[in-house]
Amino acid sequence: MATRVTAVLCLLLALLVAPAAADAAAKTVYIPSRWASTGEVPWVSSRTKESANFILLWGDRSGTDPRTAPSPYRFDPDNMLSQLESLYSFYVNTMKFTPETGLLAQYKIIVIVTTTWSNAPLDAWATGGSTDGKVGVINIAPAAAQPGSWGLAHELGHVFQNYTFLGRPGYGLVHPSAGTFWEASAEFMAMQVYPKTAAGDLTRFIRTENLAYSSSRHHYGAWMLLQYIKDRDGLAMFNRIWNEARDTEHPLEVYRRIAGIDQAELNRRVGEYAQHNVTWDYSNRADVMPFITSLYPFVTAYNGVAVEPVNAAAGHFRVPDALAPSDYGYNKIRLVPSSDGALIRMRFRGHVNSAAQSGWSYGFVAVKNGVPRYGPVTSSPNGEVTFQTQPGEKDVYLVVVGAPAAVHKYAFLDGYPRNYRYPYQFRLQGALPWGYEPGHVRPVAPGSGHWHSNGGGWVDNRATVAATAYVGPRAAVYGNSTVSGNARVEDLAWVNSGATVTGNAVVKNSALVQGGANLSGSVVIGGDAEPATACGSGTYLMFNPDRRCDGGAGEADVNPAHPIFSDSDLAFGGGAPN
């Protein structure tokens, strides 16, 4: 799994791109002239090796025969080129991602073997993109390019993404809102080559399903929508999204246009995608499930989010505003039918924000012996639906997607407070949210963990958590971390191994406290923030690698406050029927 810095570098380099072309003539080598004049990449001909579609460049630390170099700088050029040629053939001939024409057919892709120079700061672990608008470039460290390299597959994916628009003015997924799609697509492309090797950063994605689909917290894990499109429309649709995109479009706008559908149908399809994520019901499920079941125990301990009672006796609940779905994020709410084969009736009402062009897509999923059955997707902001369960369907999920009337185009690092959220309430008959059913018994804590005495959240047996500290019922403290004093960990927030949270510090919403962080005093960490430093004051609500501990107020939230609907506001018989 790449670091956050690598992910940003990967995207930024990818956006520097070059064009695509193919003819039968042998490809030539294009090396930017400035590399020689500035020493940016101080290569020499004795430290290069070529194949039909690639040229490797490496530094003095690896010598003229990298196979005999010291361990950190050792690699096999023939094996690396063999891997690259195999990947190239897969993307061009098998996957047919983009045609071998234009610049792709003219120049060999440059591969810079990083960490091998003593006189140049070429130390990236793995990036992919292009340079001079002419040629693709991969930067990869020897350790990242060993046989069966996922890094080579991912970064060559980025190179090919560049070739979809190089030399084609007006085309390409180059709008800042496409940033996460670049990374998710590169993971998806690598998964087509190596379906059993990896499945992206599922920890972040599954833990923060409520965040916007394009959230920068999702970039390595948000490939499941692409899998839905592949299963529904064929792999060629994924290729078309890349090759036919206009430079002002969000990826979902591209899909909507070339699929010939309107916004309402787009929202319905995203609702179906979210329903499939109850059981990860895709054609590659057998390959993916081992990665999901091996995640941190607290990630898979619950499938979905908890709700808050407005009036539990009346079956009236709401999702906490902080966890309400943002654009094409979703909530999964586990329900327990009141009887075997019960008819579930739901009254739904969303808190409409005209500035956000608020919208929702929602539907039910019943699960019996691990097999899902899907109800229709509804989009009324003030509606009433029914769902007839069948005998033996003990687990039922309400799935709610943030599905606005327009595709909002947030910038790559525009996080939680700059993204619209779509809060809602609902009333139920014939079922109750899991945890509110009569006689509910909480299961034993999974993995090597226990439920905290103050709040009931999951705590790793290796962690030190004081009885005075609060760990909410869906929050988590992982590894050898420490939470003490009156500190609070709430909502879906979690503290990673090696972190310390003490004093009156609060960690809430979908925040992640990275290992090495030391939070104290009155600091508040929320939204989608990921601090990794020491901090004792201020409020931090957004994933922002550039913001340090400045003691300032939280980032301004675009989401207004709203009143709470009463029971009568959600009276049955008052909403649009499905």
Side-chain angles (χ1 to χ4, degrees):
M1 181 176 67
T3 64
R4 290 174 291 160
V5 172
T6 298
V8 173
L9 288 174
C10 187
L11 174 78
L12 293 179
L13 185 56
L15 293 176
L16 293 176
V17 204
D23 34 63
K27 297 183 180 182
T28 59
V29 173
Y30 171 84
I31 302 292
S33 58
R34 70 177 187 282
W35 288 6
S37 61
T38 65
E40 182 179 339
V41 184
W43 62 284
V44 296
S45 58
S46 62
R47 296 197 298 270
T48 67
K49 190 152 193 176
E50 300 180 41
S51 62
N53 297 294
F54 298 90
I55 178 170
L56 299 184
L57 311 179
W58 64 86
D60 56 288
R61 288 171 170 166
S62 297
T64 56
D65 185 358
R67 296 172 301 175
T68 61
S71 178
Y73 318 116
R74 186 183 307 153
F75 65 96
D76 184 340
D78 291 329
N79 177 268
M80 192 181 297
L81 288 170
S82 176
Q83 288 189 70
L84 288 164
E85 289 294 345
S86 178
L87 292 166
Y88 185 100
S89 177
F90 183 92
Y91 289 150
V92 171
N93 301 316
T94 303
M95 188 174 174
K96 300 185 185 303
F97 178 72
T98 195
E100 192 180 21
T101 57
L103 294 173
L104 180 58
Q106 187 174 354
Y107 298 120
K108 296 184 179 184
I109 296 168
I110 302 169
V111 181
I112 300 170
V113 186
T114 61
T115 74
T116 62
W117 274 272
S118 62
N119 59 340
L122 297 168
D123 296 323
W125 176 256
T127 67
S130 65
T131 189
D132 286 9
K134 289 182 179 294
V135 63
V137 178
I138 292 174
N139 290 267
I140 194 154
Q146 296 302 305
S149 168
W150 182 270
L152 285 176
H154 178 102
E155 304 310 338
L156 185 59
H158 280 319
V159 169
F160 274 102
Q161 290 163 7
N162 277 259
Y163 280 116
T164 63
F165 60 86
L166 287 176
R168 302 174 64 210
Y171 284 86
L173 286 172
V174 295
H175 190 275
S177 64
T180 292
F181 196 76
W182 279 73
E183 298 297 348
S185 293
E187 289 292 273
F188 178 74
M189 292 172 72
M191 290 172 68
Q192 308 313 297
V193 185
Y194 301 125
K196 298 181 182 296
T197 298
D201 187 355
L202 294 175
T203 300
R204 274 191 176 87
F205 181 77
I206 293 176
R207 188 66 176 173
T208 60
E209 295 167 303
N210 53 294
L211 297 182
Y213 173 77
S214 296
S215 166
S216 52
R217 285 277 295 273
H218 284 173
H219 51 257
Y220 286 121
W223 54 263
M224 288 171 186
L225 180 56
L226 308 181
Q227 186 66 42
Y228 167 81
I229 290 173
K230 176 186 175 182
D231 288 353
R232 188 191 187 285
D233 304 298
L235 186 58
M237 178 60 77
F238 170 76
N239 298 340
R240 289 186 65 190
I241 291 171
W242 273 98
N243 286 273
E244 299 179 31
R246 309 277 169 73
D247 60 8
T248 60
E249 290 180 312
H250 184 282
L252 286 176
E253 291 179 307
V254 184
Y255 176 62
R256 183 185 64 195
R257 173 172 57 80
I258 64 180
I261 60 177
D262 59 15
Q263 184 70 16
E265 174 60 12
L266 173 67
N267 290 346
R268 190 196 69 79
R269 292 187 186 186
V270 177
E272 284 187 343
Y273 140 79
Q275 286 180 309
H276 279 67
N277 289 352
V278 168
T279 62
W280 316 112
D281 181 23
Y282 298 105
S283 60
N284 65 340
R285 187 179 190 275
D287 295 329
V288 170
M289 285 309 297
F291 298 104
I292 292 177
T293 56
S294 64
L295 296 174
Y296 296 147
F298 65 86
V299 175
T300 54
Y302 303 102
N303 194 4
V305 299
V307 296
E308 297 176 343
V310 177
N311 181 353
H316 186 180
F317 299 88
R318 65 192 289 260
V319 166
D321 284 358
L323 303 182
S326 187
D327 295 64
Y328 303 108
Y330 56 89
N331 295 146
K332 297 182 296 194
I333 301 165
R334 184 179 175 186
L335 308 178
V336 179
S338 57
S339 61
D340 194 31
L343 174 68
I344 299 176
R345 190 180 182 192
M346 181 184 71
R347 177 77 160 82
F348 180 96
R349 191 163 181 182
H351 293 281
V352 175
N353 172 9
S354 58
Q357 299 179 280
S358 300
W360 297 262
S361 292
Y362 48 93
F364 292 96
V365 180
V367 182
K368 179 180 179 180
N369 299 325
V371 178
R373 183 174 65 87
Y374 303 111
V377 175
T378 301
S379 296
S380 172
N382 187 5
E384 187 170 315
V385 298
T386 59
F387 181 70
Q388 179 66 62
T389 65
Q390 297 177 359
E393 293 178 336
K394 296 181 179 180
D395 286 332
V396 177
Y397 292 82
L398 168 63
V399 180
V400 183
V401 178
V407 177
H408 297 126
K409 291 185 277 194
Y410 305 117
F412 182 51
L413 290 178
D414 274 355
Y416 173 88
R418 296 179 185 172
N419 299 164
Y420 291 116
R421 296 187 296 280
Y422 305 97
Y424 58 90
Q425 295 174 219
F426 60 94
R427 287 186 69 179
L428 293 169
Q429 292 179 349
L432 285 170
W434 184 86
Y436 291 91
E437 76 278 16
H440 173 76
V441 177
R442 196 176 194 192
V444 175
S448 299
H450 60 275
W451 304 126
H452 187 51
S453 59
N454 185 16
W458 188 89
V459 173
D460 197 304
N461 290 338
R462 297 169 294 176
T464 301
V465 180
T468 54
Y470 176 83
V471 182
R474 295 292 177 95
V477 181
Y478 179 72
N480 62 339
S481 48
T482 299
V483 181
S484 61
N486 295 313
R488 297 180 66 86
V489 186
E490 305 173 349
D491 303 321
L492 292 175
W494 57 288
V495 179
N496 213 351
S497 185
T500 298
V501 183
T502 188
N504 293 307
V506 175
V507 184
K508 61 181 183 177
N509 310 151
S510 298
L512 161 59
V513 180
Q514 293 281 14
N518 188 338
L519 305 179
S520 60
S522 58
V523 67
V524 175
I525 307 294
D528 60 0
E530 285 194 17
T533 58
C535 198
S537 63
T539 298
Y540 309 83
L541 301 177
M542 188 163 70
F543 174 64
N544 181 359
D546 294 330
R547 186 180 176 191
R548 301 306 180 199
C549 181
D550 56 23
E555 294 84 351
D557 196 324
V558 299
N559 296 277
H562 60 81
I564 301 299
F565 294 131
S566 66
D567 291 349
S568 59
D569 290 331
L570 271 78
F572 285 95
N578 180 29

